[in-house]
Each structure stands twice: as structure tokens, then as C-alpha cells.
Amino acid sequence: MMTEKKYKIVQLIDTLEAGGAERVLVTLSNILFLKGHAVTVITTLQKGSLAEQLNKGIEIKELNRRSKWNLSDMHRLIQWCKPFDIIHVHSTHNLRYVFAAAKIFHLNKPIFFHHHYGSIETDKRVEWNQKFIFPSTILIAVSRKIYDWAIHDLKMESQKVFLLPNIVEKQILLQRKKRTSLTQLVLIANFRAQKNIEFAIELMNVLKTKMNVHLTIIGQRADEKYCTAIKEKINALQLNDLISIKHDIINVASVLHQFDLAIHTATSESGPLVLMEYMAAGLPFLTYQTGEVVHQINNDLPECIIDNFEIENWINKINHLLQLNADELSQRLQNTYAKYYSEDAYYHSCINIYEKGLQLEA
């Protein structure tokens, strides 16, 4: 039996502040490291709060670049990248930076580009720089919609595009709280327009007349203007006692045991990772039908998915979920997580992409 090649891998991003792409990098880096590969993470800015979740054996290098076109910083980045077998870049703006630095300072190695674009459901534009840069990479799509876009809209060669749906690292399960007369809902999403948090506010405005309920919204201020608008809407509807907002929770898995049900209202997603978190924790959820995860679990958990934004339909589905046997539903959720999001399967898929990408560029 052949011994599996152990690669030297660098994962590159701007910062590891809370976000979907950032969490994927942490998960993938940890898995690769535990499988025996030498893994380094480079942040072009500061390392960020999620860096604490990286395995302690993973080296973190902070470039702290002074500007996008500082040639000294670009040169330093390329020198850092040269010893690695695999250069794995996350998110488009980071790819543009690495691509330019590689051209200027002659890094002649394949770049694996992990495309996490969450608005693919509503935005299929092909930018001029994507036409120029993306075909020079090995593209890793986190959803089927991104995969199809790369081939059919961007017109990339199919052998250079791979599908790698996201997973999350399974956490130690905490004892779920006992149900009380107050139903505790949670919505986890960074504050940006595609997350459609205003619908959750409108839902709560009606739901409060049907049941004793509280909603906790957990997310970073990705768009300050949108975040302010949401808070103003909560004030205008006089829902301050029924809705709490928390911006400072990084490890969401550590608080999921406090809730009875999660809702996910985004109009466009590539994942979303948070649905995997809910399944891993056995927390029932209701989500709008967008993203790769919904495509995967549609036949396993149909009661957790809704195809419209009619408030009465959401209320009916929420009531149905709350009336199901909590232990049986929790077990089904965890079983579905185990079925689709095995770390071993994810690891082997990633290594297969690395091997095929290196062969293409040899």
C-alpha cells in the first residue's frame, strides 16, 4: 500500500475575523494538520479572533501589509509562499492580491482558489478581472451554483473546477436546556442585506401574538448601515424586549444548547455553515431554501426547509417543528450531519483536488 504524500500547505486569507470563509479555512487547516500535513496560515492583514481556534501546531504569519500595492509587502508574501507545495487562497479580493504579487515576483506555482461567494443565487455577473484571473487557478467551489457558474458563465475548463461543499468541525455536545413556556429562537448571521434579517423582525412582530417567544440575533457588524437599520426597525415595532442582539459571540456552537429553534432567513447562500452547526448540535431549524446545504439535506429534513417568505407559512412550520418529539428530531439532525459532513470524506476530497490540480499544472 502506497504511503500518502504529505504536503506543505499554506492557507491564505486577509484576516480571521468571524465569517464563513474564515471558518472554512480554520476547519480545513485543522483537519489537514491532524492528518499529518505541514500547515501554515498567512493573513495579509492581522490574524483576527478566529485564529484562536486553529490547532496550536499551525504556524500563523501576519503580513500586516501597508497597502495593496506596497511592493515590499508583496515580495515578502511571495518569499513566504515559495517553500510550499500547495498555495490555497480564500476569497476573491485575496486572490487578486496574491495573483498580482505572483506575477510581479515570479511565483510559478499553481494557485488553488477557494470560492465562497454567498450571493451566487442572486448575482451571476462575471467581472473583467475574474475572466482574466480565475482561469489561471484551480477553482474550488463550495456550492453547485458556484461550480456551474464557473463552467457555464465564466467558461473555465471543467477539469480545473472542483466542488467541495463545506463542513464544520463537530463540537462536544452540551446538554440542551429543558423547554419552558418561553420559546427561545436564534438567528445567526452577520449583518448584511442578503441575510434578510428584517424578515425575522417582521416574523417576530406577528409571532408574538401567537406564542410566548424571544429571538436572539447573533452576528458581526459586516454592514454598519444595515445593522443600524435593523436596530431601528426593532425600535419602531417596539420589540426591544423580545429581540436581543449579540455581536461578540465567536464560537456559536457553545451557545446553541440554550435555544429551542433556529431560523435562517437569507435570500442567498453558498453554504450556509450555520445549518451544519445546528445539525451537529441537534438543534431544530427552519431555513429558506437557498445554498448547497439545503440541496444536500432536502430529502432528509424537509420539515426544516421552506420555499417562500409568507409569514403565516413560517409560523405554521415553526409550530410543527416545536410539536415534534424533541429527542427524535435532534437525533435525526445529528444523523444527517454525520451522513453528509464527515471530516474524513472532506479531507480525502480536498487531497484529491490538490493532487489533480498539481497534475494539471505539471
Side-chain angles (χ1 to χ4, degrees), residues 76-145:
R76 186 157 49 102
L77 174 65
I78 296 307
Q79 292 304 114
W80 283 354
C81 288
K82 280 183 176 178
F84 292 94
D85 304 308
I86 304 293
I87 299 166
H88 190 145
V89 181
H90 297 258
S91 300
T92 305
H93 54 288
N94 299 312
L95 175 64
R96 289 196 295 265
Y97 181 68
V98 174
F99 184 83
K103 289 297 182 187
I104 293 169
F105 293 105
H106 309 293
L107 179 67
N108 297 313
K109 290 189 174 187
I111 294 173
F112 292 81
F113 170 53
H114 211 131
H115 201 16
H116 303 265
Y117 189 50
S119 297
I120 193 64
E121 299 273 357
T122 55
D123 182 6
K124 292 183 169 60
R125 290 174 299 169
V126 176
E127 305 288 351
W128 70 267
N129 58 78
Q130 293 173 329
K131 291 180 184 178
F132 178 61
I133 298 174
F134 283 26
S136 299
T137 71
I138 309 300
L139 192 145
I140 302 172
V142 302
S143 72
R144 202 171 309 274
K145 289 283 175 71

Side-chain angles (χ1 to χ4, degrees), residues 25-44:
L25 182 148
V26 169
T27 296
L28 180 56
S29 296
N30 285 342
I31 291 172
L32 289 166
F33 178 80
L34 291 173
K35 293 292 186 179
H37 300 273
V39 180
T40 295
V41 171
I42 294 175
T43 61
T44 60

Side-chain angles (χ1 to χ4, degrees), residues 241-288:
D241 291 340
L242 302 181
I243 299 176
S244 303
I245 294 177
K246 298 184 178 181
H247 296 302
D248 58 351
I249 297 175
I250 303 302
N251 182 10
V252 296
S254 68
V255 301
L256 294 183
H257 66 287
Q258 301 171 9
F259 300 99
D260 301 305
L261 182 81
I263 58 174
H264 193 75
T265 57
T267 55
S268 180
E269 290 283 6
S270 57
L273 292 178
V274 72
L275 296 187
M276 299 178 205
E277 298 269 21
Y278 299 150
M279 283 183 275
L283 176 65
F285 61 86
L286 181 61
T287 181
Y288 179 64

